[in-house]
Amino acid sequence: NAGVTQTPKFQVLKTGQSMTLQCAQDMNHEYMSWYRQDPGMGLRLIHYSVGAGITDQGEVPNGYNVSRSTTEDFPLRLLSAAPSQTSVYFCASSPDNNYGYTFGSGTRLTVV
Amino acid sequence: TQLLEQSPQFLSIQEGENLTVYCNSSSVFSSLQWYRQEPGEGPVLLVTVVTGGEVKKLKRLTFQFGDARKDSSLHITAAQPGDTGLYLCAGLPDYNFNKFYFGSGTKLNVKP
């Protein structure tokens, strides 16, 4: 049972480039979320989904897009990378928000 | 400002000491959760509390949810070096059951 799988683990981008962070879960969870973690800021919610075909914005959605075409996959797209998007990105899934989330191991992104 | 405020931000103690970490908000939460995160890893769920006044114990860790469901605490008895890590509270505010917010975290270092 793989849980939540994030790829890649590390990425360096140049300002203005676009890329997609991949997230897949094999637990048939309805809820999936993307967070970014910056020093001293805890985790901030970027986008979330409550099921296939349904997504919504979190606290810091600007510069990011998501889609949820299947229950398993929830990719995060950076449209035009900026240095302010340098961060560690975590994907998480849950069968129900009240049951707690299972996290992936993160993607460390640096934008130069 | 974050929806959930944690204190203290940093804590460095000797093995065997007791400690308490606090998580406070001006909003009412339908549930609160505590996670522990180690360097290079995603957060791992420790406990979920859903009822005001609820107390849960997990070995040497005691979690409490405030009566008004606006705050929570984590108490560790006789801390050990293995308790070292970042402790995060997280929860669902009553006004939005889909957005799951995290606090800024408490970084605990237990010295042998």
Side-chain angles (χ1 to χ4, degrees), chain A residues 35 37 57 97-98 100-101, chain B residues 31 33 35 37 97 99-100:
Chain A
Y35 291 89
Q37 186 172 33
Q57 297 181 349
N97 268 338
N98 280 313
Y101 275 79
Chain B
S31 68
Q33 297 167 8
Y35 291 77
Q37 184 180 21
F97 288 163
K99 284 190 179 180
F100 198 73

Side-chain angles (χ1 to χ4, degrees), chain A residues 31 35 37 40-43 45 48 50 57-59 90 97-101 103-105, chain B residues 2 31 33 35 37 40-43 45 48 86 88 92 97-104:
Chain A
Y31 289 78
Y35 291 89
Q37 186 172 33
M41 301 284 297
L43 280 83
L45 181 63
Y48 66 96
V50 300
Q57 297 181 349
E59 303 170 85
F90 287 100
N97 268 338
N98 280 313
Y99 284 95
Y101 275 79
F103 280 80
S105 56
Chain B
Q2 292 200 238
S31 68
Q33 297 167 8
Y35 291 77
Q37 184 180 21
E41 303 286 333
L45 179 68
T48 300
L86 179 67
L88 296 154
L92 286 173
F97 288 163
N98 290 322
K99 284 190 179 180
F100 198 73
Y101 292 92
F102 276 80
S104 52

Side-chain angles (χ1 to χ4, degrees), chain A residues 78-101:
Chain A
L78 277 71
L79 309 172
S80 177
S84 61
Q85 293 178 306
T86 293
S87 189
V88 181
Y89 291 84
F90 287 100
C91 178
S93 73
S94 174
D96 181 298
N97 268 338
N98 280 313
Y99 284 95
Y101 275 79

Side-chain angles (χ1 to χ4, degrees), chain A residues 28-100:
Chain A
N28 202 33
H29 287 172
E30 290 296 325
Y31 289 78
M32 294 188 75
S33 298
W34 276 101
Y35 291 89
R36 60 177 287 173
Q37 186 172 33
D38 302 302
M41 301 284 297
L43 280 83
R44 291 184 291 170
L45 181 63
I46 304 172
H47 285 286
Y48 66 96
S49 169
V50 300
I54 306 169
T55 63
D56 205 348
Q57 297 181 349
E59 303 170 85
V60 288
N62 292 341
Y64 307 95
N65 271 355
V66 292
S67 60
R68 184 100 181 266
S69 56
T70 67
T71 299
E72 294 77 20
D73 299 300
F74 191 42
L76 177 73
R77 296 183 188 84
L78 277 71
L79 309 172
S80 177
S84 61
Q85 293 178 306
T86 293
S87 189
V88 181
Y89 291 84
F90 287 100
C91 178
S93 73
S94 174
D96 181 298
N97 268 338
N98 280 313
Y99 284 95

Side-chain angles (χ1 to χ4, degrees), chain B residues 1-28:
Chain B
T1 55
Q2 292 200 238
L3 193 61
L4 288 165
E5 297 286 342
Q6 283 187 241
S7 62
Q9 198 174 353
F10 299 97
L11 198 51
S12 183
I13 60 172
Q14 291 293 137
E15 182 176 1
E17 291 183 9
N18 301 332
L19 67 115
T20 302
V21 176
Y22 299 93
C23 176
N24 295 292
S25 179
S26 57
S27 297
V28 176

